[in-house]
Amino acid sequence: MTTSLSPSEAWQRLSEGNARFVSGDARHPNQGASRRHQLLSNQNPFAVIFGCSDSRLAAEIIFDLGLGDAFVVRTAGHVLDDAVLGSLEYSVSVLHVPLIVVLGHDNCGAVTATKEALETGEMPQRFIRDLVERITPSVLTSLREGRTEINDMVVDHAKLTAERLLESSPVIAAAVHDSSTAVVGVAYRLEEGRAQLVSDSGLS
């Protein structure tokens, strides 16, 4: 198996899968025994999806994907850390994935917790505090620009996470520069099931 999709073709394929999911016509591709056998010795995903851990945001379902289609990394609030960056760099440098999707969603609990911490001055304890501190720059950006609704902050957080990814990883930035990979920010609407493109770098 080989992946020969361009970044724009990879996004088109994700968009088509999401449209099927929204309309209730999901095909559930690549989920049978034959697909399992094809993937025994290698994998060639056409997208890496870095999304929030929220149980309502199962990437393979909302994009109507199957085994071997997407390399998926998830943290609460799609927070970047060294392990995430290493995983994403692996997807680009070893698996040669042509598209990285930063996937946020409305009513995000991690973004909500960050907004509340800033409003009350009361930070969560232990490791949840680390999540909130990493999301704080995105929420502050929204507030400075007059956006006080959680769902507006979610969009800003997806955009800024995509920007930070490029700033933090020379490997991924170089792949975007040579047009072998694109990085996009996407906001998912829980009620509609629709994944909306909100930013892109390298998508042509």
Side-chain angles (χ1 to χ4, degrees), residues 36-92:
R36 290 202 311 272
H37 293 302
Q38 287 177 346
L39 296 168
L40 285 176
S41 60
N42 58 39
Q43 60 170 321
N44 294 99
F46 71 89
V48 55
I49 301 172
F50 171 40
C52 181
S53 298
D54 192 291
S55 63
R56 300 164 291 183
L57 200 67
E60 290 91 346
I61 294 176
I62 68 174
F63 290 110
D64 194 24
L65 303 174
L67 297 173
D69 290 334
F71 188 84
V72 180
V73 181
R74 299 175 71 181
T75 62
H78 54 80
V79 164
L80 284 173
D81 60 20
D82 289 350
V84 169
L85 287 168
S87 299
L88 298 181
E89 287 189 350
Y90 174 84
S91 74
V92 169

Side-chain angles (χ1 to χ4, degrees), residues 10-22:
W11 172 246
Q12 180 65 26
R13 185 168 169 185
L14 285 182
S15 299
E16 291 170 354
N18 180 242
R20 293 193 301 271
F21 172 70
V22 170

Side-chain angles (χ1 to χ4, degrees), residues 11 184-187 195-200 203:
W11 172 246
V184 300
V186 172
Q196 177 184 5
L197 187 70
V198 296
S199 71
D200 74 85
L203 196 63

Side-chain angles (χ1 to χ4, degrees), residues 19-32:
R20 293 193 301 271
F21 172 70
V22 170
S23 65
D25 295 323
R27 298 175 186 169
H28 310 290
N30 298 329
Q31 297 182 15

Side-chain angles (χ1 to χ4, degrees), residues 77-78 102-105 111 138 152-164 183-188 196 198-199:
H78 54 80
V102 177
L103 180 63
H105 66 97
V111 175
S138 296
D152 292 332
M153 293 177 176
V154 164
V155 171
D156 285 336
H157 184 45
K159 292 178 179 177
L160 291 172
T161 301
E163 290 177 10
R164 289 190 200 108
V183 177
V184 300
V186 172
Y188 177 76
Q196 177 184 5
V198 296
S199 71

